[in-house]
Amino acid sequence: MKPYTILGCIATMTLAYPGMDRVVREIKARDYGIEKRSPEMIGDLIDGASSATGSTIKSILQGEYAIARRSTYTAPGPIDSDECKKDTCCIWSYIASDMQNAFQDGSSCSDLARGAIRQGFHDAATWDKGSSYGGADGSLLLSDELSRSENAGLESIGDQTKSWFQKYRDHNITMADLIQAAAIVGVVSCPGGPRIRLFVGRQDNSQAGPTGMLPSAFADAQSLIDLFAAKTFSADDLVALVGAHTVAKQSTVDASRSGASEDSTPGTWDNKIYSETLDSGNKSILTFPSDKNLATYSQTSSQWNTFACTNGQSLWANASILFGIFQALLTLL
């Protein structure tokens, strides 16, 4: 991994859903303990931070707020104006607005939105502490990486993201940033989804990322724990991150049930994935074996059940922080 300067841009616009301010307040009262998180630092954060934005990223990794403050960004001018060109956030406000139109489907989030969330992870997760390259570098769409079997189902969002890249590439953006911006807008386009802070400044790489870095839907729990530990995430972090499956629809785990969701509310960012994974009587959803393994494994079942309980939705608000932490980490990869 090569450290480089990151520009911080928080182009929040008006993507928040009612109640997120309450969720943020509840984070301080949670059992999860993000405040005590002591992650392993990587890159130039090991010896400190090389910029103000780097310091912010380090703080997020250690548990500070990763949620964008409740404010509305207003572009200083038209997309091609000098005022817009001088403001890093300006172009991203136009891009996010474009994405939002594609990612919202009435009162729900669209298939493109859920694809964008998965795409952001698949581009970034081709990295671990032993890798000299890979990560959130745009290689998923700049190389032949998308043709790998583990990326099946991402073709539609891949094509759409490439289209956006062609539309905006003359405005000094990178594919790496575009993929992660799409993931963030995808999350917040789902009712209940948090507004995660967006950092831009990633460098593109047309070299396909390392293989064997993505989790399998059939993996046993310990293999998943080891895989994410190599990416500096704990077992509890993993359980929180897997909650993103709440908006997932599968097409390759069981081809005979293409389009089946993993919980009963795939258009909403909620915690039903946890309780419904434990409920083997629900035949209308498709539970990944890997999720079931995490839900019942000795090292992860307690955290899984915490998120599945009656007040699990507010407790899973921690995932808002985790996704922000993950986004901050992706900035460095």
Side-chain angles (χ1 to χ4, degrees):
M1 181 193 66
K2 298 179 181 179
Y4 51 91
T5 301
I6 301 296
L7 295 174
C9 180
I10 308 170
T12 60
M13 290 148 297
T14 56
L15 300 177
Y17 283 85
M20 280 308 300
D21 53 343
R22 172 186 57 77
V23 168
V24 171
R25 290 197 302 272
E26 288 175 348
I27 288 171
K28 289 298 181 181
R30 67 189 181 277
D31 295 330
Y32 186 58
I34 288 291
E35 299 97 332
K36 301 177 182 178
R37 194 173 192 271
S38 299
E40 180 179 349
M41 292 294 151
I42 61 176
D44 59 354
L45 297 188
I46 294 175
D47 298 317
S50 59
S51 67
T53 303
S55 295
T56 299
I57 292 169
K58 183 174 183 179
S59 295
I60 290 174
L61 290 173
Q62 293 174 326
E64 293 298 321
Y65 283 144
I67 305 303
R69 301 300 184 182
R70 182 175 289 277
S71 61
T72 300
Y73 173 83
T74 301
I79 192 170
D80 291 317
S81 67
D82 289 339
E83 291 80 7
C84 189
K85 292 175 182 178
K86 293 176 182 178
D87 185 339
T88 302
C89 291
C90 185
I91 181 58
W92 290 102
S93 71
Y94 284 101
I95 293 172
S97 179
D98 209 353
M99 291 174 171
Q100 184 183 11
N101 290 333
F103 289 168
Q104 291 186 325
D105 183 12
S107 60
S108 180
C109 50
S110 68
D111 285 344
L112 281 177
R114 54 181 57 92
I117 298 168
R118 181 172 174 239
Q119 176 181 255
F121 174 74
H122 279 229
D123 187 46
T126 54
W127 172 89
D128 66 17
K129 293 181 291 183
S131 305
S132 59
Y133 69 102
D137 57 7
S139 62
L140 180 68
L141 301 182
L142 295 174
S143 70
D144 63 354
E145 212 173 298
L146 192 61
S147 65
R148 294 176 181 174
S149 59
E150 62 265 33
N151 294 321
L154 290 174
E155 294 81 7
S156 293
I157 184 59
D159 288 344
Q160 179 60 72
T161 307
K162 290 176 182 178
S163 177
W164 281 323
F165 187 62
Q166 291 302 316
K167 180 178 180 179
Y168 295 108
R169 66 184 307 169
D170 292 336
H171 294 273
N172 195 32
I173 69 165
T174 65
M175 180 68 85
D177 283 339
L178 191 66
I179 289 173
Q180 298 310 321
I184 286 177
V185 178
V187 168
V188 79
S189 294
C190 299
R195 290 192 311 174
I196 301 166
R197 299 174 69 175
L198 168 63
F199 295 90
V200 301
R202 299 169 186 81
Q203 297 177 358
D204 283 343
N205 188 354
S206 60
Q207 178 183 8
T211 59
M213 298 287 182
L214 292 173
S216 165
F218 301 94
D220 64 86
Q222 189 59 55
S223 295
L224 292 169
I225 291 170
D226 293 343
L227 181 72
F228 277 79
K231 304 180 194 297
T232 75
F233 286 88
S234 71
D236 284 349
D237 292 344
L238 170 59
V239 173
L241 287 168
V242 165
H245 287 170
T246 186
V247 295
K249 291 183 179 179
Q250 70 84 37
S251 60
T252 59
V253 174
D254 184 346
S256 69
R257 296 183 61 192
S258 180
S261 60
E262 292 187 64
D263 75 13
S264 59
T265 55
T268 304
W269 191 269
D270 58 29
N271 68 318
K272 287 188 177 180
I273 183 71
Y274 295 104
S275 58
E276 293 182 359
T277 294
L278 294 169
D279 180 11
S280 58
N282 189 342
K283 303 302 182 183
S284 64
I285 64 173
L286 192 151
T287 297
F288 283 5
S290 56
D291 287 356
K292 190 72 170 184
N293 292 338
L294 287 172
T296 56
Y297 190 58
S298 59
Q299 194 174 340
T300 48
S301 60
S302 176
Q303 189 64 60
W304 194 283
N305 280 278
T306 295
F307 292 149
C309 68
T310 303
N311 63 335
Q313 179 63 41
S314 60
L315 294 175
W316 190 57
N318 309 329
S320 301
I321 295 297
L322 255 297
F323 276 88
I325 288 173
F326 189 62
Q327 170 66 11
L329 179 61
L330 302 190
T331 304
L332 301 167
L333 304 185

